[in-house]
Amino acid sequence: MDVHRADERYPGGDPAAGITSRHAFSFGPHYDPDNLRFGALLACNEERLAPGAGFDEHPHSHTEIVTWVVEGELTHRDSTGHETVVRAGDVQRLSAAGGVRHVERNDAAVPLAFVQMWLAPLDPGGDPAYEIVRGIADSTPYAVPEAGAMLHVRRLTTGERTAVPDGAYVYVHVVRGEVDLDGERLGPGDAARVTDAEALDAVAVTRAEVLVWEMAGR
């Protein structure tokens, strides 16, 4: 198990424009050849947008983009004609495939915080696709078969214990609160990368929200 702390994330975004980003993996000008990916996961970005701020239209390709809103509302528009507002508890996925363009904005009057995760597809190319699941339940894993991955959402009360799925690659990201994972205390923005995970439990030290990626070997 390899633990990466919130304060080790690479800073990014454009604070003057109301955009603050924190990157868990090599990203943009922060090139790190030893931190390019973990399993299928290419990026885990914590994003904060002030009211009225956002990312203008930009392209993606050959990437599965999964977004989890922490607070506020994210307005999404893409070149395939989708326009949606993503709220806390929703899972949004944009399959960039052979190429797609999108806009992400905070059109609300309150700050927006979200986590965006990029995964490498098993087979590049194809047609873009979009999906949103409203109010996903903890007991309903979200499958991204194109990347050989499964997202598990865990919302825990203080003292609650939850099993971490076994897998060749397991990525545990703490959204809020604190959890104990195999003796390691993880707080907001902290993450653990576990290879060949087996029989691990996470215990909530406080009320907590955790995202867990279960990924096949490749």
Side-chain angles (χ1 to χ4, degrees):
M1 183 168 68
D2 189 13
V3 174
H4 292 251
R5 300 296 178 184
D7 61 6
E8 297 173 334
R9 288 174 169 264
Y10 309 113
D14 185 354
I19 302 171
T20 302
S21 304
R22 293 290 182 268
H23 307 294
F25 293 88
S26 180
F27 200 95
H30 301 286
Y31 178 67
D32 181 353
D34 296 323
N35 190 25
L36 296 177
R37 65 187 291 172
F38 178 73
L41 200 59
L42 302 172
C44 179
N45 303 333
E46 293 184 325
E47 306 285 3
R48 293 185 176 275
L49 302 183
F55 299 100
D56 293 333
E57 187 175 80
H58 56 281
H60 289 280
S61 61
H62 314 306
T63 313
E64 299 293 320
I65 304 169
V66 178
T67 304
W68 177 261
V69 170
V70 180
E71 58 186 12
E73 297 181 349
L74 172 65
T75 297
H76 164 94
R77 294 191 297 275
D78 65 50
S79 55
T80 63
H82 297 97
E83 181 169 351
T84 51
V85 175
V86 189
R87 301 178 176 87
D90 299 342
V91 173
Q92 175 187 259
R93 177 166 64 99
L94 178 63
S95 295
V100 71
R101 302 181 68 85
H102 72 154
V103 176
E104 296 165 298
R105 297 196 55 80
N106 179 9
D107 290 333
V110 297
L112 164 66
F114 63 96
V115 181
Q116 190 168 90
M117 297 150 286
W118 300 4
L119 297 96
L122 297 171
D123 299 304
D127 296 323
Y130 179 84
E131 182 177 49
I132 185 166
V133 177
R134 301 289 190 184
I136 195 166
D138 288 14
S139 58
T140 307
Y142 181 75
V144 185
E146 293 84 353
M150 189 94 68
L151 176 64
H152 303 263
V153 177
R154 295 288 186 264
R155 305 173 185 92
L156 305 172
T157 59
T158 302
E160 186 176 356
R161 179 183 300 270
T162 185
V164 174
D166 297 344
Y169 297 98
V170 172
Y171 187 86
V172 180
H173 171 82
V174 179
V175 175
R176 66 177 96 231
E178 293 187 347
V179 300
D180 184 286
L181 179 65
D182 197 33
E184 287 282 355
R185 179 74 61 93
L186 303 178
D190 291 347
R193 307 176 191 186
V194 187
T195 305
D196 297 326
E198 186 175 357
L200 285 180
D201 284 344
V203 182
V205 179
T206 66
R207 290 183 63 89
E209 184 173 281
V210 182
L211 303 177
V212 181
W213 280 104
E214 172 191 354
M215 296 170 282
R218 52 174 67 195

